[in-house]
Amino acid sequence: MPIYTAPTKDLQYVLHDVLNISAADIPGFGDLDRDFTGAILGAAGKISSEVLAPLNAVGDQQGCRLENGIVTTPDGFKDAFAQMRENGWPSLDCDPEYGGQGMPYVIATAVGEMFSASNQAFTMYQGLTHGAYSAIHAHGTEAQKSTYLPKMVNCDWTGTMNLTEPHCGTDLGLMRSKALPQGDGSYKISGQKIFISAGDHDMADNVIHLVLAKIPGGPEGIKGVSLFIVPKFLVNEDGSLGRRNGVSVGKLEEKMGIHGNSTCVMDFDEATGYLLGSEHKGMRAMFTMMNEARLAVGAQGLGQAEAAYQNAAAYARERLQGRDVTGVKNPDGPADPLIVHPDIRRSLMDQKSFTEGGRAFLLWGAQLIDQHRSAGDEAAHGLVSLMTPVIKGFLTDQGYDMTVQAQQVFGGHGYIEETGMSQFTRDARIAMIYEGANGVQALDLVGRKLAQDGGKHVMAFLELVKTFCKDNAGTEGMDDFTNPLKNASKELQAAVMYFMQHGMKNPNHALAGSNDFMHLFGHVCLGLMWARMGKASLEALASGTDDPDFHNNKLITGRYYMSRRLPATSLHLARIESGADTVMGLAADAF
C-alpha cells in the first residue's frame, strides 16, 4: 500500500520562515504563532496519514454505488466523514456566526493540501461544501444564510455546484435548464446536469445544490443565467427536513479516477429552488464558488504530486537496480539502489523542487486572499485574481506530470495497480479538466486577467520581482537565485509586451500563446518562491539554526529549480513570439 507522511515541517517552514505569517498586518494573523499552527497541522497530518490515506485505495477499488436511487460511498468513508465533522475540520475558516472557527484561509489551505494528498476523492465532499457555503455566505439573504449555513459549516449538510449540461460545458450561455417563477418567491427548476462531484451520497442528511438555470424572458446567453439553491430535502421553517425535492441521480459517471467521489448525472424535475443573488446574475454568484474551487484544485494537483513523490523516493532508496557508474555503492548487495543513478535523481529533483516551490506559491496565494478579505487590500485582491488561473492551471499541469515521473521511477511496477502509483496519476488527471479546463484558464489569464484594470496587476507582479532582486543583489549566496529570477522575469515581461504589440491587431497571436504564457508565468512564480525560500534558509543558517541539514537541503533543491527548471521560460517565450500563423495555418478540414 502507498505511504503518505504529511509534510508538516515544510508547511511550518513556508508559513513562518518564508511568509512570516504571525508578523503580517492582517487581522487574525497575530494569533498564528508556531505552536498554534504546529498543533493544527500536526493534528491534520495525523488524520491524513492514519485515517484518510488508508482509505484512498479502498475508494479507488470500490467506488460508489447507485442502487434504488440511493448512492453509497466506499467502506470506511462514512465513519471517516463523521470523524472529520466531530473534529471540526470542515469549519476551520468559516464564519463563527454560523458555527465556524474563523481561522485565516491560509491555515485552511495548508490543511487542505494534506487532506487532498492523502485522499483527493474523499476530500472533495467537504471541499465542494465549502465552496457552496462561500457562495451563500457572500450572496444569500439573511434568511438563506441562517437556514443553510449552520448545517453546511461542519458538513452536516453538504453542497454541490451544478453548471455543466450534456450539450454545454465552458459555454454556459447554451444551457437549457429552466427556472419558472411560482409567485411565492420560489422557482420550479427543470433540466439535467452532468459531472456533478459529490452530487449525492450517504454521509450527510441533506445535499444543498447550487444550480445554474435560465428564467424565461431573460437576456440571451450567459447574461440570462441565474443561480438557485435547490436542496435535496426541503427545509421546514423550524429547520427540520421536509419532503424530498424533485431532484434525483440519473446515474453515476464511470471515471478514470477519483472513484471514491460520487460524480453524478443530476435530474431536476420541477424541483423547488430559491434564487441566490439577483436574477440573471448567476455567474457572478457562481464565480465566488468557482474561484475558491480553482485554488483548491491547484492544491489537488500539488497534493497528488507530493504523495506520488514520497512513494517514488522511498522506492528509489530501496529498489536495487544496476551499479553506480562512478563506483559500487552497495558492495554487500547484488546491485546498487535506484537512487544512485543520475536520471533517477533528475526525476526526483524535478518532483521535489516542484512540490516545495508549488506549496509556497499556493500558500502565498492564500495569504493574499486573507489580505484582501480581512484587511481590505485591493492590491492583494488584484494580484491573486491575476494568479488564480496560474495556480489552478500550472500546478495541476505540472502536478500531473510529476505523478507520471513518480510512476516512471517504479518502472513496470508503476504500471501495476497493486503499487498504487497508477491511482495518483489517474486522480491527478481530473484536476487539469474540472473547474475550468486548463486551456480555459490560460485563455482567461491572457484574454481577461492581463488587461484587467489597465494591466496594473501584472505590472505590480513584475515590479515585485524586480524589487526583490534589487534588494537582495550582492547578498552572499543569493546570486544563484536572483540572477536566474531576473532573467526569467524579463522573459515574462517580453511575453506581455508581445501580446500588447500584436494581440490587438490579431487576437490569435495572443490566444495561440496563452498556454505557454500560463506556464511561463507559473515558472516565474515558483522562481520567486524559491528565491524567497533561498533567502529564508540562508538567514537561518547565518543565525545558527539547530537544523542546518534542512536548510542546506532547501538551498540545494532551490538551486536545482533555478538552474534546471526555470530556464523553461525561454522555450515558452520563443513559442509565444512565433505567433499564431503556424498554429492556425492548417485548414479545419485538414485535421
Side-chain angles (χ1 to χ4, degrees):
M1 178 180 290
I3 60 168
Y4 176 69
T5 302
T8 52
K9 184 175 183 178
D10 204 56
L11 286 163
Q12 283 280 78
Y13 166 76
V14 174
L15 290 173
H16 294 285
D17 294 0
V18 181
L19 300 180
N20 196 15
I21 57 171
S22 59
D25 187 20
I26 302 172
F29 273 48
D31 299 327
L32 302 180
D33 59 38
R34 285 182 186 269
D35 289 342
F36 182 71
T37 59
I40 295 171
L41 297 179
K46 187 172 188 239
I47 200 169
S48 296
S49 299
E50 297 179 5
V51 177
L52 302 187
L55 292 175
N56 199 34
V58 175
D60 186 54
Q61 292 159 12
Q62 291 186 7
C64 297
R65 304 182 303 279
L66 174 62
E67 297 174 352
N68 300 317
I70 298 172
V71 177
T72 305
T73 50
D75 292 348
F77 271 44
K78 195 170 183 179
D79 289 341
F81 204 67
Q83 189 172 341
M84 296 290 279
R85 275 199 302 259
E86 289 164 9
N87 290 297
W89 291 114
S91 67
L92 277 182
D93 65 322
C94 295
D95 190 340
E97 183 177 346
Y98 303 103
Q101 300 179 56
M103 292 187 196
Y105 182 67
V106 71
I107 297 301
T109 302
V111 168
E113 184 214 319
M114 293 186 280
F115 289 166
S116 289
S118 59
N119 197 324
Q120 178 176 326
F122 176 91
T123 302
M124 288 169 64
Y125 290 98
Q126 65 193 55
L128 270 296
T129 305
H130 193 286
Y133 153 87
S134 295
I136 296 173
H137 189 273
H139 302 284
T141 65
E142 290 304 317
Q144 288 172 338
K145 289 190 276 190
S146 64
T147 297
Y148 299 105
L149 297 189
K151 292 289 189 178
M152 297 179 71
V153 157
N154 211 35
C155 286
D156 292 319
W157 297 351
T158 59
T160 69
M161 54 193 298
N162 290 250
L163 292 81
T164 307
E165 298 184 5
H167 57 281
C168 72
T170 300
D171 192 353
L172 293 171
L174 298 176
M175 73 173 55
R176 297 172 184 158
S177 294
K178 298 295 183 187
L180 299 177
Q182 297 302 294
D184 61 355
S186 70
Y187 294 76
K188 291 297 184 185
I189 313 296
S190 296
Q192 185 181 77
K193 301 289 184 175
I194 62 173
F195 308 154
I196 308 306
S197 301
D200 199 20
H201 55 86
D202 59 351
M203 299 190 298
D205 295 331
N206 204 2
V207 180
I208 311 304
H209 301 286
L210 297 192
V211 184
L212 286 176
K214 290 183 175 180
I215 300 170
E220 291 295 318
I222 199 68
K223 293 181 179 179
V225 172
S226 301
L227 184 61
F228 300 89
I229 299 172
V230 185
K232 174 181 175 180
F233 290 99
L234 296 175
V235 182
N236 297 323
E237 288 188 10
D238 63 0
S240 63
L241 296 183
R243 66 176 176 83
R244 177 71 184 256
N245 206 355
V247 53
S248 61
V249 179
K251 72 168 185 174
L252 291 179
E253 305 282 14
E254 295 289 335
K255 309 185 298 292
M256 175 181 174
I258 54 168
H259 296 150
N261 194 268
S262 53
T263 309
C264 301
V265 172
M266 301 301 302
D267 294 322
F268 297 88
D269 184 11
E270 294 193 343
T272 298
Y274 307 95
L275 184 68
L276 180 61
S278 304
E279 285 190 359
H280 318 310
K281 302 294 184 184
M283 289 309 298
R284 177 174 174 267
M286 184 59 86
F287 264 111
T288 298
M289 188 173 187
M290 289 176 67
N291 284 333
E292 177 179 311
R294 285 169 177 173
L295 293 171
V297 171
Q300 290 177 0
L302 172 65
Q304 294 307 298
E306 171 66 30
Y309 161 72
Q310 289 187 17
N311 285 273
Y315 187 78
R317 289 191 295 267
E318 298 167 0
R319 173 75 168 177
L320 302 182
Q321 195 79 37
R323 289 295 189 186
D324 187 339
V325 294
T326 64
V328 173
K329 294 297 186 291
N330 180 32
D332 297 329
D336 289 331
L338 277 174
I339 203 162
V340 305
H341 303 303
D343 193 58
I344 295 294
R345 290 289 188 97
R346 173 203 57 78
S347 175
L348 293 174
M349 288 298 287
D350 278 358
Q351 296 166 55
K352 181 177 173 62
S353 64
F354 165 73
T355 57
E356 293 180 15
R359 177 172 298 120
F361 181 34
L362 179 71
L363 293 176
W364 178 43
Q367 184 184 29
L368 289 172
I369 289 174
D370 281 321
Q371 209 167 319
H372 172 245
R373 286 182 182 174
S374 300
D377 189 331
E378 290 301 321
H381 177 59
L383 191 55
V384 78
S385 295
L386 171 71
M387 295 191 304
T388 292
V390 184
I391 291 171
K392 195 280 183 184
F394 182 74
L395 290 187
T396 59
D397 275 353
Q398 292 288 309
Y400 174 77
D401 287 348
M402 296 307 154
T403 66
V404 173
Q405 287 212 45
Q407 188 181 29
Q408 190 76 9
V409 170
F410 280 71
H413 292 286
Y415 198 67
I416 302 300
E417 289 293 343
E418 68 186 46
T419 66
M421 296 307 291
S422 165
Q423 185 184 353
F424 297 128
T425 301
R426 289 184 287 103
D427 285 358
R429 186 63 183 87
I430 185 59
M432 301 163 68
I433 299 173
Y434 61 11
E435 306 308 340
N438 285 355
V440 175
Q441 301 300 321
L443 293 176
D444 178 50
L445 174 64
V446 170
R448 201 163 65 91
K449 296 295 177 62
L450 277 185
Q452 206 164 46
D453 297 325
K456 75 175 185 179
H457 304 304
V458 71
M459 292 299 112
F461 176 84
L462 289 167
E463 186 61 30
L464 186 155
V465 174
K466 180 180 178 181
T467 300
F468 179 91
C469 292
K470 182 178 179 181
D471 290 347
N472 291 281
T475 302
E476 187 176 355
M478 281 299 292
D479 284 353
D480 291 342
F481 295 93
T482 54
N483 289 342
L485 177 59
K486 190 186 305 180
N487 292 335
S489 68
K490 287 179 180 178
E491 290 178 323
L492 178 63
Q493 186 169 4
V496 173
M497 293 303 297
Y498 176 85
F499 291 151
M500 291 175 62
Q501 293 168 1
H502 299 276
M504 293 295 290
K505 299 174 186 175
N506 181 358
N508 281 341
H509 285 312
L511 300 183
S514 60
N515 185 272
D516 281 290
F517 184 80
M518 181 177 73
H519 281 261
L520 195 166
F521 201 160
H523 277 297
V524 175
C525 288
L526 261 66
L528 175 60
M529 293 299 99
W530 271 115
R532 292 178 68 175
M533 287 189 281
K535 179 179 181 180
S537 284
L538 285 168
E539 289 176 348
L541 289 167
S543 65
T545 175
D546 58 2
D547 194 356
D549 287 347
F550 175 88
H551 293 286
N552 279 318
N553 290 339
K554 189 66 71 174
L555 291 170
I556 292 168
T557 306
R559 291 183 185 116
Y560 177 88
Y561 193 90
M562 304 309 277
S563 63
R564 298 276 303 205
R565 301 288 295 169
L566 190 57
T569 55
S570 297
L571 170 64
H572 292 303
L573 177 61
R575 289 172 173 170
I576 290 167
E577 292 182 336
S578 73
D581 293 344
T582 55
V583 174
M584 304 302 293
L586 199 62
D589 59 6
F591 284 92

